[in-house]
């Protein structure tokens, strides 16, 4: 949460000339409720189940940039699907930056109770192992989003060059 997946994803898609999809927005459009309300109303397990089905549809077909919810890659089934059919990117930001960014709006159900920074640290500790399986690991800090996009483009070029050489 707060790593910049949607903002960086939108800019990356534009830079690469690809369509952009935000999985949270897709869920909202399909159900007609904000994702935070869905999460609170139906719980994390049901939300993640719907998210898993949506991601399976999004990766089947057209090449595009997809920003997924923060917990998507933790689900073993979804992670395997993404690793098999996409190039996955872990946007890794320090907890202090995540806390500042997520504090700008009160739309994240997992952060509504308790200390924001402690909650983010706990979530990061749970997710870090799964995220380490992403094809690319890009550090995202408090710099400009365009810098993160350019880093991703360079990493993608190296990754794809390595795959064609093999």
């Amino acid at each position: 949460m707060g790593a910049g997946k949607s903002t960086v994803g939108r800019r990356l898609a534009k830079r690469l000339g690809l369509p952009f999809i935000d999985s949270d927005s897709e869920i909202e459009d399909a159900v007609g409720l904000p994702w935070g309300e869905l999460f609170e109303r139906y719980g994390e397990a049901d939300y993640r189940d719907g998210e898993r089905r949506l991601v399976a549809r999004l990766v089947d077909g057209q090449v595009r940039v997809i920003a997924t919810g923060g917990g998507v890659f933790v689900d073993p089934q979804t992670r395997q699907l993404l690793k098999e059919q996409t190039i996955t990117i872990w946007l890794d930001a320090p907890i202090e930056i995540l806390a500042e960014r997520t504090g700008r709006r009160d739309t994240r159900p997992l952060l509504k109770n308790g200390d924001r920074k402690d909650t983010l640290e706990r979530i990061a500790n749970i997710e870090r192992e799964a995220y380490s399986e992403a094809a690319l690991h890009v550090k995202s800090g408090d710099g400009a989003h365009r810098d993160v996009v350019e880093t991703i483009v360079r990493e993608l070029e190296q990754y794809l060059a390595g795959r064609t050489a093999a």
Side-chain angles (χ1 to χ4, degrees):
M1 283 182 278
K5 296 177 298 294
S6 297
T7 303
V8 170
R10 213 174 276 107
R11 290 176 182 219
L12 178 63
K14 184 175 181 180
R15 169 76 165 72
L16 298 176
L18 295 171
F20 172 75
I21 301 282
D22 183 297
S23 67
D24 288 339
S25 295
E26 291 293 308
I27 290 170
E28 289 177 353
D29 290 347
V31 180
L33 292 170
W35 72 268
E37 187 175 331
L38 285 168
F39 197 97
E40 288 177 335
R41 186 181 291 186
Y42 298 105
E44 185 171 5
D46 284 348
Y47 183 84
R48 297 294 179 209
D49 184 53
E51 195 173 49
R52 182 182 311 110
R53 290 191 310 269
L54 172 70
V55 169
R57 285 194 307 272
L58 293 177
V59 301
D60 188 26
Q62 179 181 5
V63 174
R64 59 183 123 205
V65 174
I66 304 170
T68 62
V72 166
F73 208 66
V74 176
D75 178 79
Q77 282 181 281
T78 309
R79 181 171 60 251
Q80 189 61 37
L81 174 70
L82 289 168
K83 287 171 51 179
E84 289 172 357
Q85 295 191 26
T86 71
I87 300 171
T88 54
I89 302 167
W90 172 17
L91 286 183
D92 186 9
I95 297 298
E96 293 76 22
I97 290 172
L98 298 177
E100 187 274 322
R101 288 178 182 167
T102 58
R104 295 176 189 164
R105 293 180 303 190
D106 188 27
T107 59
R108 300 171 194 269
L110 292 175
L111 299 178
K112 288 190 176 186
N113 300 314
D115 180 84
R116 178 179 306 280
K117 191 173 174 185
D118 288 345
T119 302
L120 287 164
E121 185 67 50
R122 183 179 46 76
I123 291 170
N125 288 334
I126 293 167
E127 295 177 342
R128 196 169 281 121
E129 185 177 341
Y131 286 179
S132 70
E133 294 182 30
L136 305 176
H137 180 184
V138 175
K139 297 284 187 177
S140 173
D142 58 1
H145 288 118
R146 72 177 170 275
D147 296 338
V148 176
V149 168
E150 290 309 314
T151 299
I152 292 170
V153 170
R154 284 192 306 275
E155 294 282 332
L156 277 171
E157 288 170 347
Q158 290 175 0
Y159 178 81
L160 292 171
R163 288 184 67 187
T164 56

